[in-house]
């Protein structure tokens, strides 16, 4: 794959040399596993679960976990044309040569991407078609609680927490490979590992549906079920990690070179939620709540900031505001973050869960966006879904936010919830208008965004038996809302593609008869279906029709007395508990959070006196944890009614109900006297000294863009403990200046960076600190003192070497044409070229940019550019002379920069060839 780097878009994604990436000697490890994420790099590198597994496996000396992501389709075509298989990033090893391939399955629309990656790797799709010579195909993630539509593609699936289960599976695989025992024997033994689901040990109750005969209604009602093959393996119990502190959390998280969706340090402070939102699958399958202790989190934060260099921190859990000592966590963290200009975000917060003081601390570094999730516009419907958020609490919260200077808020809603009426739709708009009114005089600068998502009934929830509204009905309700929102200028409506929710609904409650549908859809081009510009619903509908299936088969309501495709995978939550919650929903009655009241008997916990459903793990101490040490809160203001801040993005929080008494709103905030953020920013903006850094950019570093290079240096400085000076304003940035940007793919023997520090530092000390943090190909050459207001040099002349690699027979003509074009260009005095600018384009003399052209041998040119009057990207200038030029067979390297022209004559001729 690395042979194609010069041709790939965003080539830095394929280097595998990011800071904290793990490289081991393949001859010194026993098992190698590729952690596969079935989506693009920028999405997969934002997934915290992948970082946790990467760390857990690589902590085992005998195992090596590497990464692989689904490449963009244009990259896939390049791989196929060059007959290069999909490889891992760290070692460029083909996936088919790995011992195991472990997929993270985060949503149903990634199913064809699994086949896409297996296809690019040359691995058969179905487990039944693979043998001892193929890697073990493993899957894990939330969708495993009903993965039947893709179960035939996997040898093994893991339900529940994976950081202990995956190393156990790899250890078992190692033992069986050492003794030469078969894959079938391994799978039989793997069933004994708690959390392991072996699909081949469960079979459909009848033959898969085909297009050759109609399916009677009576068969359709029960066709979903599967039956166990072995009497001692009739149900899979999810794996629970009882104590988060007992396993090491990754502090040396990989730092991407380029931008990703969530480009920040993520720290999981708790896992699980017991708020009981009836639509929320995560709130059911990840029970109970387990928290990390403050002391543990303090060590994680300190080490992670030191070893990553991120400028944003996110404390993550399903309901972060429910962390039992959130104020204490902030008090212990905020000083460290403020010193480094690291902003803090708190996604998935519920109304009333965060004190005003915490929001002041966040705003004291950088004011972030706010997202609230009322989910429904009317109180009646919020009670149906057990949201336990009142309109009064929500409005109290937005009033406090606007008073603190926030000027925009996003509200999440769902449509198609059970019992929804047109009145509930109108209530969405009414609630948004009430939110606008809480801004008072600030409403003129206010924007309230309503984000609308169609409801999908999920397995393992109280609504798993409910009907999902049709695609046509979803579109109708969205159009109805658009009409209602249209007259209101302060309101903006965004919506999730109804086609995506439609497909998600089919596959989230599907059975194994959908596996051939996934195969057929992939064969006809369905990949990246979770991306709006790639989804083609017609392909999916045609694939279903080919196998005699209709969407209504899967969107229908289910009979609670009949079996479901996922009944053999236990989340630990009793069926009777889900049915009770369903009944209460239809009655419009709410259920409180069991963490702050009596046990509700859901079945997960092992220490409440109520018998647990978890048989294998019944002896473990599994319970909701609220046993943090007392928190220092005497200096904190009481929590006001409501915050659900999601500074992370448009990812919908999963649960935020609150049945606890709300505190009284805090008085109008003053100038944040306690934190004094303006003073802190002034200190961060101090200019103590300026240093000039010379560095080399060769090897894999040539693939960094200028934006990536800027971010890379900032993070290297942070990891090196360098106190950078920051600009002032809404989004402070480090005071750095670079020389002219090099095109991606172009190297340089010497580049320059000027950095301003807020604390004095000796040049030699900066050199010593920074050098070890630089990635492969970037080398610090020298560090020198500079004037306080110095900027990076913009030299008038730059010399480059263009090296055309010796071609094979098929491309000799191309090389000859390129060299001939340069010989023809050399004597010209004026060559018109349309230079593109932000204001359009203007004509320049291309020939005047070349102060010297020297042809060296038959495949090299030494070029001196003259940028005194005009500037043009060097690679663009070369391609203007020879459009056939390509990084596939050419390399361009800057040799030196000069303030004045080095020779008396301004032009060299072809007679200098060979000198």
């Amino acid at each position: 794959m690395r042979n194609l780097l010069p041709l790939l878009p965003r080539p830095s994604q394929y280097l595998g040399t990011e800071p904290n990436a793990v490289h081991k000697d393949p001859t010194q490890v026993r098992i190698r596993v590729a952690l596969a994420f079935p989506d693009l790099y920028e999405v997969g590198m934002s997934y915290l679960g992948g970082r946790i597994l990467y760390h857990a496996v690589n902590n085992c000396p005998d195992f090596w976990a590497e990464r692989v992501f689904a490449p963009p389709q244009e990259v896939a075509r390049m791989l196929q044309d060059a007959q290069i298989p999909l490889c891992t990033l760290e070692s460029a090893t083909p996936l088919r040569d790995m011992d195991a391939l472990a997929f993270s399955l985060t949503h149903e629309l990634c199913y064809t991407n699994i086949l896409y990656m297996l296809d690019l790797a040359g691995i058969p799709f179905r487990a039944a078609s693979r043998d001892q010579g193929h890697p073990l195909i493993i899957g894990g993630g939330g969708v495993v609680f009903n993965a039947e539509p893709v179960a035939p593609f996997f040898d093994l699936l893991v339900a529940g927490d994976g950081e202990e289960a995956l190393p156990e599976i790899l250890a078992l695989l190692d033992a069986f490979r050492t003794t030469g025992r078969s894959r079938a024997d391994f799978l039989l033994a793997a069933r004994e590992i708690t959390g392991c689901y072996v699909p081949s040990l469960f079979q459909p109750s009848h033959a898969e549906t085909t297009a050759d005969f109609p399916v009677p209604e009576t068969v359709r009602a029960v066709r979903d079920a599967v039956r166990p093959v072995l009497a001692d393996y009739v149900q899979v119990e999810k794996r629970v990690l009882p104590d988060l502190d007992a396993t090491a959390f990754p502090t040396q998280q990989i730092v991407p070179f380029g931008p990703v969706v969530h480009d920040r340090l993520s720290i999981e402070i708790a896992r699980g939620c017991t708020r009981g939102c009836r639509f929320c699958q995560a709130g059911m399958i990840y029970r109970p709540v387990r928290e990390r202790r403050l002391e543990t989190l303090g060590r994680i934060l300190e080490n992670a900031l030191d070893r990553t260099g991120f400028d944003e921190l996110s404390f993550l859990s399903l309901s972060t505001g429910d962390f039992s000592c959130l104020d204490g966590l902030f008090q212990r963290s905020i000083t460290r973050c403020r010193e480094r200009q690291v902003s803090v975000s708190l996604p998935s917060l519920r109304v009333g869960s965060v004190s005003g003081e915490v929001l002041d601390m966040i705003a004291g570094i950088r004011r972030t966006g706010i997202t609230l999730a009322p989910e429904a516009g009317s109180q009646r419907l919020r009670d149906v879904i057990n949201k336990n958020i009142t309109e009064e609490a929500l409005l109290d919260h937005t009033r406090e936010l606007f008073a603190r200077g926030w000027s925009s808020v996003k509200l999440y809603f769902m449509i198609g919830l059970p019992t929804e009426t047109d009145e509930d739709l109108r209530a969405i708009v009414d609630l948004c208008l009430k939110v606008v009114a809480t801004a008072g005089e600030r409403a003129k600068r206010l924007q309230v965004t309503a984000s609308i998502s169609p409801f999908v009934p999920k397995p393992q929830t109280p609504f798993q038996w409910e009907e999902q509204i049709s695609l046509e009905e979803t579109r109708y309700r969205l159009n109805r809302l658009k009409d209602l929102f249209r007259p209101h200028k302060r309101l903006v409506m965004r919506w999730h593609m109804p086609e995506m929710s439609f497909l998600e609904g089919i596959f989230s409650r599907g059975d194994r008869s959908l596996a051939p549908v996934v195969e057929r859809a992939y064969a006809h081009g369905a990949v990246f279906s979770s991306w709006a510009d790639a989804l083609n619903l017609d392909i999916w509908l045609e694939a279903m029709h080919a196998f005699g299936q209709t969407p209504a088969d899967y969107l229908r309501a289910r009979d609670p007395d009949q079996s479901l495709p996922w009944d053999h995978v236990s989340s630990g939550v009793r069926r009777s508990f889900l049915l009770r919650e369903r009944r209460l929903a239809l009655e419009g009655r709410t259920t409180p959070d069991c963490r702050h009241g009596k046990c509700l008997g859901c079945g997960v916990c092992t220490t409440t006196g109520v018998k647990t459903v978890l048989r294998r793990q019944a002896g473990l101490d599994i319970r909701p944890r609220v046993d943090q040490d007392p928190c220092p809160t005497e200096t904190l203001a009481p929590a006001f009614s409501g915050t659900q801040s999601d500074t992370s993005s448009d990812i919908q929080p999963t649960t935020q109900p609150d049945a606890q008494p709300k505190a009284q709103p805090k008085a109008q905030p003053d100038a944040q006297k306690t934190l004094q953020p303006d003073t802190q920013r002034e200190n961060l903006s101090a200019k103590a000294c300026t240093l000039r850094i010379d560095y080399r950019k060769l090897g894999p570093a040539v693939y960094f863009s200028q934006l990536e290079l800027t971010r890379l240096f900032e993070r290297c400085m942070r990891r090196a403990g360098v106190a950078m000076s920051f600009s002032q304003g809404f989004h402070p940035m480090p005071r750095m200046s670079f020389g002219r940007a090099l095109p991606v793919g172009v190297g340089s023997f010497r580049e320059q960076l000027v950095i301003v520090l807020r604390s004095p530092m000796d040049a030699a000390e900066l050199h010593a600190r920074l050098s070890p943090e630089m990635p492969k190909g970037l080398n610090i050459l020298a560090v020198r003192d500079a004037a306080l207001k110095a900027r990076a040099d913009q030299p008038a002349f730059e010399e480059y070497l263009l090296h055309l690699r010796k071609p094979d027979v098929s491309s000799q003509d191309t090389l000859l044409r390129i060299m001939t074009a340069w010989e023809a260009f050399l004597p010209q005095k004026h060559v018109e070229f349309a230079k593109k600018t932000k204001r359009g384009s203007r004509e320049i003399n291309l020939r005047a940019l070349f102060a010297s052209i020297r042809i060296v041998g038959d495949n090299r040119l030494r070029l001196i550019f003259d940028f005194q009057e005009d500037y043009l990207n060097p690679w663009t200038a070369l391609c203007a002379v020879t459009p056939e030029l390509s990084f596939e067979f050419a390399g361009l390297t800057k040799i030196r920069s000069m303030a004045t022209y080095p020779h008396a004559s301004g032009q060299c001729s072809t007679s200098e060839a060979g000198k």
Side-chain angles (χ1 to χ4, degrees), residues 688-704:
C689 67
T690 301
L691 297 171
R692 194 179 301 273
I693 302 171
D694 293 331
Y695 64 94
R696 180 173 293 159
K697 182 175 179 281
L698 297 173
V702 304
Y703 299 112
F704 298 145

Side-chain angles (χ1 to χ4, degrees), residues 460-471:
Q460 313 280 356
T461 70
F463 289 157
Q464 65 181 350
W465 295 280
E466 302 306 309
E467 179 184 14
Q468 180 173 337
I469 62 175
S470 67
L471 181 59

Side-chain angles (χ1 to χ4, degrees), residues 109 498-508 529 535 537 540:
L109 298 188
E499 294 81 4
M500 289 185 183
S501 299
F502 174 73
L503 273 183
E504 184 184 345
I506 292 170
F507 285 94
S508 67
S529 293
L535 175 61
L537 185 60
W540 290 97

Side-chain angles (χ1 to χ4, degrees), residues 545-864:
H545 178 74
F547 291 97
Q549 303 186 41
T550 65
D553 294 338
Y554 300 98
L555 303 181
R556 73 185 192 281
R558 310 298 172 94
D559 186 340
D561 294 328
Q562 292 179 333
S563 61
L564 297 168
W566 52 90
D567 280 344
H568 58 294
V569 181
S570 172
S571 68
V573 178
R574 285 189 174 86
R575 184 187 187 92
S576 59
F577 174 81
L578 298 178
L579 285 169
R580 185 182 71 199
E581 285 298 302
R582 177 175 182 261
R583 174 177 57 81
L584 293 174
L586 298 179
E587 294 173 359
R589 296 165 58 190
T590 60
T591 303
D593 184 352
C594 65
R595 289 184 78 192
H596 307 285
K598 68 178 182 178
C599 174
L600 301 174
C602 74
V604 179
C605 296
T606 63
T607 59
T608 59
V610 179
K611 187 177 180 181
T612 178
V613 173
L614 302 175
R615 298 178 181 178
R616 292 188 176 192
Q617 302 168 97
L620 299 178
D621 182 15
I622 300 174
R623 59 178 171 174
R625 300 295 176 85
V626 285
D627 56 356
Q628 290 280 354
D629 292 333
C631 305
T633 57
E634 61 273 9
T635 61
L636 296 178
F640 57 79
S641 286
T643 214
Q644 164 129 18
S645 159
D646 183 346
T647 58
S648 58
S649 71
D650 295 339
I651 290 185
Q652 182 171 347
T654 49
T655 129
Q656 297 85 350
D658 182 15
Q660 305 305 309
K662 68 186 182 70
Q664 293 300 315
K666 186 182 176 182
Q668 185 82 0
D670 55 18
Q672 301 177 6
K673 296 177 182 178
T674 302
L675 294 174
Q676 297 178 334
D678 294 336
T679 302
Q680 293 292 342
R681 288 188 180 180
E682 182 179 351
N683 293 338
L684 290 171
S685 300
K687 301 177 184 179
C689 67
T690 301
L691 297 171
R692 194 179 301 273
I693 302 171
D694 293 331
Y695 64 94
R696 180 173 293 159
K697 182 175 179 281
L698 297 173
V702 304
Y703 299 112
F704 298 145
S705 69
Q706 185 61 38
L707 176 61
E708 291 171 340
L709 199 65
T710 303
R711 295 157 58 85
L712 186 156
F713 265 102
E714 177 185 347
R715 289 172 175 174
C716 287
M717 296 281 183
R718 289 177 179 272
R719 291 196 300 274
V722 177
M724 297 177 288
S725 175
F726 289 86
S727 63
Q728 295 180 315
F730 180 78
H731 193 90
M733 300 294 291
R735 288 192 168 99
M736 294 190 293
S737 69
F738 288 81
R740 293 191 185 94
L742 288 173
V744 176
V746 177
S748 175
F749 283 103
R750 186 175 290 269
E751 288 296 293
Q752 191 177 104
L753 158 68
V754 172
I755 179 80
V756 182
L757 307 184
R758 65 178 185 271
S759 298
M761 180 175 287
D762 181 78
E765 182 182 357
L766 178 60
H767 194 304
R769 285 195 185 190
L770 193 57
S771 291
E773 303 300 335
M774 305 306 295
K776 188 176 181 180
L778 278 180
N779 304 104
I780 303 299
L781 301 177
V783 180
R784 296 166 286 151
D785 292 328
L788 194 59
K789 295 184 178 181
R791 304 283 295 176
D793 295 336
Q794 304 290 328
F797 297 92
E798 295 180 350
E799 185 173 7
Y800 286 79
L801 174 66
L802 176 64
H803 177 221
L804 303 173
R805 289 182 282 276
K806 292 289 186 180
D808 54 30
V809 176
S810 63
S811 57
Q812 285 182 352
D813 290 344
T814 301
L815 175 61
L816 180 60
R817 287 196 299 272
I818 289 174
M819 299 306 293
T820 300
W822 279 102
E823 290 176 348
F825 180 76
L826 185 62
Q828 302 297 317
K829 299 295 185 184
H830 192 93
V831 176
E832 289 291 324
F833 177 77
K835 177 184 176 180
K836 295 180 180 179
T837 67
K838 294 180 179 180
R839 298 181 179 179
S841 64
R842 60 184 179 85
E843 296 295 324
I844 65 169
N845 180 7
L846 180 66
R847 184 62 184 85
L849 293 177
F850 294 89
S852 171
I853 302 173
R854 187 152 59 108
I855 299 175
V856 184
D858 60 356
N859 68 329
R860 288 186 296 165
L861 290 91
R862 290 181 73 103
L863 309 161
I864 298 179

Side-chain angles (χ1 to χ4, degrees), residues 412-488:
Y412 275 117
F413 298 96
M414 286 187 288
I415 60 171
L417 287 163
T419 77
E420 182 180 75
T421 65
D422 188 68
E423 183 178 348
D424 295 312
L425 294 180
R426 292 197 300 271
I428 292 176
V429 182
D430 292 341
L431 184 58
C432 292
L433 291 172
K434 291 175 182 177
V435 168
V436 171
T438 62
E441 297 179 355
R442 301 175 183 83
K444 295 180 181 180
R445 303 186 302 274
L446 182 69
Q447 177 175 298
V448 173
T449 301
S451 183
I452 313 295
S453 293
F455 165 67
V456 175
K458 288 290 188 175
Q460 313 280 356
T461 70
F463 289 157
Q464 65 181 350
W465 295 280
E466 302 306 309
E467 179 184 14
Q468 180 173 337
I469 62 175
S470 67
L471 181 59
E472 293 73 20
E473 179 64 20
T474 301
R475 288 168 173 162
Y476 168 78
R477 297 190 192 187
L478 282 174
N479 288 331
R480 174 83 172 111
L481 279 174
K482 292 176 188 177
D483 291 340
L484 293 171
F485 271 96
R486 192 170 290 115
H488 306 291

